[in-house]
């Protein structure tokens, strides 16, 4: 059941990311595999802070190989089967890239805060011409945000 919820939430987040930041994608990298990247060739993603919590900020450290596509990071948080937080960020052209997320939403707040199970994914879209053809997940981590 949680896997189905994650899949549905993930699709919703991807569609939102495309609509909100589609124009940003065109500006990333030089088209020759020279977008932002860490020195490592093994993709990874990890929390920088300890003790993530509702209303707090979490940062994610990551590494990934040089690639043609610009990666994104997505954080999703759930209370039971309800998605209470979802947000994605593009690489932004910095190296190293350490995106930050404020773990707060109206939905989460209306539930009184409380703990939530969260996932963070490092991924990128594949294209054929101007048509998106898929999503490649490079790295994944899970954490619990306390209330």
């Amino acid at each position: 059941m949680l896997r189905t919820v994650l899949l549905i939430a993930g699709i919703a987040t991807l569609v939102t990311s495309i609509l909100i930041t589609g124009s940003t994608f065109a500006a990333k990298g030089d088209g020759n595999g020279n977008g932002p990247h860490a020195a490592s060739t093994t993709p990874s993603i990890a929390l920088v802070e300890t003790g993530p919590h509702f209303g707090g900020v979490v940062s994610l450290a990551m590494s990934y190989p040089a690639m043609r596509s610009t990666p994104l990071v997505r954080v999703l948080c759930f209370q039971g089967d309800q998605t209470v937080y979802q947000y994605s960020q593009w690489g932004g052209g910095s190296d190293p890239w350490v995106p930050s997320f404020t773990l707060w939403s109206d939905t989460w707040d209306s539930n009184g805060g409380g703990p939530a199970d969260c996932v963070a994914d490092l991924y990128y879209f594949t294209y054929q011409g101007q048509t998106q053809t898929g999503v490649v997940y490079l790295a994944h981590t899970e954490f619990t945000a306390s209330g």
Side-chain angles (χ1 to χ4, degrees), residues 123-136:
Y123 64 101
Y124 66 92
F125 297 109
T126 58
Y127 289 87
Q128 180 143 12
Q130 298 295 320
T131 303
Q132 181 183 328
T133 57
V135 179
V136 175

Side-chain angles (χ1 to χ4, degrees), residues 70-144:
T70 301
L72 295 96
V73 171
R74 174 187 65 198
V75 174
L76 295 164
C77 296
F78 303 90
Q79 289 178 322
D81 289 340
Q82 182 182 26
T83 303
V84 294
Y85 181 85
Q86 60 179 339
Y87 195 76
S88 296
Q89 292 183 27
W90 292 96
S94 63
D95 189 9
W97 174 39
V98 183
S100 296
F101 297 84
T102 300
L103 300 178
W104 187 95
S105 70
D106 287 331
T107 303
W108 200 346
D109 187 52
S110 68
N111 287 352
D117 296 317
C118 302
V119 298
D121 293 303
L122 176 64
Y123 64 101
Y124 66 92
F125 297 109
T126 58
Y127 289 87
Q128 180 143 12
Q130 298 295 320
T131 303
Q132 181 183 328
T133 57
V135 179
V136 175
Y137 290 91
L138 299 170
H140 173 89
T141 191
E142 299 177 7
F143 60 96
T144 299

Side-chain angles (χ1 to χ4, degrees), residues 53-75:
H53 61 279
F54 171 70
V57 175
V58 295
S59 298
L60 297 156
M62 63 205 85
S63 64
Y64 51 92
M67 64 181 78
R68 197 174 283 268
S69 299
T70 301
L72 295 96
V73 171
R74 174 187 65 198
V75 174

